[in-house]
Amino acid sequence: MTIPGTPRTTAVEAAAMLRALDLAARGVRGANPLVGAVLLAPDGVLLGEGHHRGAGTPHAEPAALADARDRGNDARGATMVVTLEPCNHTGRTGPCSAALIEAGVARVVYAADDVNGAAAGGAQRLRAAGIDCVGGLEAGRALALNERWTASLTARRPFVTLKSAQSLDGRVAAPDGTSQWITGAEARADGHRIRALADAVLVGTGTVLADDPRLTARQDPPVRAGRVGLRVVMGESAVPDSAAVRGEGFLHLPTRDVCEVLDTLYGRGVRHLLVEGGPRIASAFLRAGVVDELFSYVAPLLLGDGAPAFPALGVPTLADAPRWEPDDAGGPAVERLGADLRLHLRPPPAPPA
């Protein structure tokens, strides 16, 4: 049965799209949009499903096709229901449109058009191959899920994740400057997991001089084996020759200009930037309005007069304070890690124009 007022879709396909959106939200934010896919037999029976798990991993459609194969199901003549128009370019993985054609899929129902010019055109390629292709089902929900990714793409800058570890009273260091370690081992391990997902990790020269971090992703097993991301230091002070951050993938940007940093990194192919601080750097990115998601690790201790996590934000009154909303993408928005809490937040959706 076709649903009135919807783009040539059936009730079974509509239900599959809702499932695909739920699957999409299991993915991690970053260089790629959140995408989920469900493969249906001609009689509507589920054949397979999948979602994109992060840059360098299979896209949602190939993941669903692989799941169908693992279940012993044939994709020929099937319908692929997916939350984003299948891509039409070769990046870290091949074009999803070609994979669907090769698999013998007969119909594709997708939610939102792909706004990435380099990847767009999948629907046209599918139709040229004789595949029935319908777009627009639950497009609003799919677009809302990836609003900040779209904003970064439109601005031609990396998607920016900000990570902060702080005390209950919002301090990142004690009055004497000590800051290692505010959070416990579980929270620090989760931070390394997030590092491994990003194309680049950034701190300020103050953090290098105070803590001498390596900025490597120490995780076993690694999320993206064999990959070395950029380790970026931002600021006008010199980085000592003996600094642990030096070595393969090290980059010093001697500027305090956030937009200049983002332009430079985008030009070097960085599509997902993790900002780890310190406090002045974190506030600079927040003031610039370019932070797309925030991970805040809160430890159950009080430091009183220590250094604040986000100083000088320029908020004159409570009514002007920027508010953030819980983000369940990739897991619960609030999660306990040992004795600490991890908050995953994102800016609220932009008001309608």
Side-chain angles (χ1 to χ4, degrees):
M1 181 185 71
T2 301
I3 303 175
T6 62
R8 285 199 303 112
T9 52
T10 67
V12 172
E13 291 167 346
M17 182 62 79
L18 295 180
R19 172 61 179 167
L21 287 164
D22 288 341
L23 290 168
R26 296 182 183 182
V28 294
R29 298 193 186 277
N32 298 86
L34 301 178
V35 184
V38 173
L39 187 67
L40 299 175
D43 61 0
V45 172
L46 174 70
L47 297 177
E49 61 184 22
H51 67 280
H52 186 47
R53 299 174 184 268
T57 65
H59 287 191
E61 301 94 314
L65 291 170
D67 184 48
R69 288 193 298 270
D70 291 344
R71 299 180 190 217
N73 295 327
D74 190 346
R76 285 176 294 183
T79 295
M80 180 67 78
V81 179
V82 60
T83 60
L84 185 67
E85 177 187 2
C87 72
N88 196 40
H89 83 309
T90 299
R92 292 185 176 102
T93 59
C96 294
S97 54
L100 294 174
I101 294 169
E102 182 179 356
V105 169
R107 177 172 162 86
V108 173
V109 177
Y110 68 90
D113 292 328
D114 195 333
V115 296
N116 184 354
Q124 181 179 356
R125 182 175 184 175
L126 292 168
R127 293 185 182 109
I131 295 176
D132 185 24
C133 196
V134 179
L137 180 62
E138 296 289 352
R141 288 187 58 177
L143 290 170
L145 189 64
N146 289 301
E147 181 187 37
R148 294 296 299 192
W149 175 81
T150 302
S152 66
L153 181 72
T154 303
R156 297 182 59 81
R157 63 164 177 80
F159 182 94
V160 176
T161 299
L162 176 61
K163 179 168 75 72
S164 176
Q166 58 208 59
S167 63
L168 281 175
D169 51 350
R171 306 293 174 173
V172 297
D176 66 353
T178 54
S179 60
Q180 296 182 328
W181 299 98
I182 287 178
T183 53
E186 293 90 341
R188 296 198 299 275
D190 191 68
H192 282 286
R193 177 189 66 81
I194 295 172
R195 276 186 186 177
L197 295 169
D199 297 321
V201 182
L202 180 146
V203 298
T205 50
T207 295
V208 170
L209 296 174
D211 297 335
D212 196 24
R214 285 183 285 173
L215 300 184
T216 54
R218 298 183 292 279
Q219 189 175 23
D220 186 23
V223 175
R224 293 159 71 179
R227 173 185 167 276
V228 178
L230 281 178
R231 300 189 307 282
V232 184
V233 179
M234 170 186 175
E236 296 176 348
S237 299
V239 177
D241 292 340
S242 61
V245 73
R246 286 189 174 275
E248 183 183 4
F250 167 70
L251 176 64
H252 180 207
L253 299 177
T255 179
R256 297 177 182 176
D257 188 321
V258 168
C259 293
E260 181 182 344
V261 167
L262 292 178
D263 286 344
T264 299
L265 293 179
Y266 189 87
R268 295 180 69 108
V270 173
R271 297 297 179 265
H272 182 195
L273 172 65
L274 173 61
V275 177
E276 293 201 1
R280 287 187 299 175
I281 295 294
S283 291
F285 277 82
L286 287 167
R287 287 195 306 271
V290 296
V291 176
D292 300 300
E293 69 172 348
L294 169 63
F295 285 98
S296 180
Y297 298 85
V298 182
L301 69 153
L302 299 169
L303 291 176
D305 294 330
F310 308 119
L313 286 180
V315 178
T317 183
L318 182 61
D320 294 333
R323 296 188 180 272
W324 295 66
E325 62 181 28
D327 189 353
D328 290 315
V334 180
E335 184 172 0
R336 181 172 175 175
L337 298 172
D340 307 313
L341 290 180
R342 188 196 72 179
L343 307 179
H344 184 202
L345 305 168
R346 65 174 178 174

